[in-house]
Amino acid sequence: MRVDGAGLGKVQVRLKWDPSPYGEPARHLDIIAATYPAGDPYGRPEYVVHTESRSPDGTINMTRHSETGLGLGYVEVMELEFERLSSAYGRVVVGVAIHQNGVPRTFGDLSHAGVLVVEGYRQLLSDDFATVADATAATIAEFTRDTSGAWHFAQLVHGFESNPTGFMAEMGTLRS
């Protein structure tokens, strides 16, 4: 349990978007989290969590996954448990990528897309991807551990022009 002033505890990243119109290929978005070692927070990720995967220690999990956007409200959810994350990790970057299934799509091509980052009832970020409308993937949040071990949030909305695999390799190169 988090003590006030001790940094972040359990955080959820929630994603929503409208499904494709009838007859068009499905619009498929994924939340992606990359975890970086404390000793090299801008190097290669130690591991990446996406689709229906989870972190090796179970601290980062996909609790809801959609390949179509069908459903009410937020249809994809990732949960990050910072109070349990090993001290070996010092940075986590979270982003969203659009699968490019035959028809190139950007965030501007989607309707009613949005991401919400919350810790309990506290909203950390709400974004509709308007600032990255021409991008096919975007980072949205950066979580860093300070010297006391407390985790902190920083908004990091930045667009990329890559597919999900390419995005995973480059998403952690940004510095807030």
Side-chain angles (χ1 to χ4, degrees):
M1 176 172 277
R2 186 183 84 122
V3 177
D4 285 341
L8 297 170
K10 189 181 289 190
V11 171
Q12 280 192 343
V13 177
R14 303 171 184 168
L15 181 62
K16 67 178 181 174
W17 69 96
D18 281 351
S20 298
Y22 182 75
E24 287 187 19
R27 295 175 179 171
H28 181 188
L29 283 70
D30 276 329
I31 301 171
I32 300 168
T35 304
Y36 299 87
D40 192 10
Y42 294 93
R44 296 179 55 98
E46 187 74 24
Y47 60 83
V48 177
V49 177
H50 56 91
T51 59
E52 295 174 6
S53 66
R54 63 181 229 145
S55 63
D57 60 2
T59 58
I60 302 175
N61 292 292
M62 293 296 302
T63 59
R64 289 188 73 187
H65 176 66
S66 174
E67 294 185 1
T68 62
L70 287 171
L72 299 173
Y74 294 93
V75 296
E76 184 149 316
V77 178
M78 178 180 278
E79 196 165 83
L80 302 98
E81 296 181 60
F82 289 105
E83 71 275 13
R84 291 185 41 231
L85 193 60
S86 168
S87 61
Y89 306 113
R91 181 171 177 250
V92 177
V93 177
V94 178
V96 175
I98 304 170
H99 286 262
Q100 302 298 314
N101 304 358
V103 179
R105 289 207 173 98
T106 65
F107 287 106
D109 296 327
L110 305 173
S111 55
H112 301 104
V115 63
L116 180 66
V117 180
V118 297
E119 180 190 30
Y121 294 105
R122 183 170 64 130
Q123 180 176 301
L124 303 173
L125 169 76
S126 177
D127 193 86
D128 64 1
F129 302 108
T131 60
V132 292
D134 294 334
T136 59
T139 54
I140 56 161
E142 176 184 55
F143 300 92
T144 54
R145 186 189 305 262
D146 67 21
T147 56
S148 74
W151 284 92
H152 302 279
F153 164 82
Q155 180 174 319
L156 186 65
V157 179
H158 182 82
F160 291 80
E161 294 180 19
S162 46
N163 62 31
T165 303
F167 177 58
M168 287 182 225
E170 66 186 358
M171 66 188 280
T173 61
L174 292 175
R175 295 174 188 257
S176 59

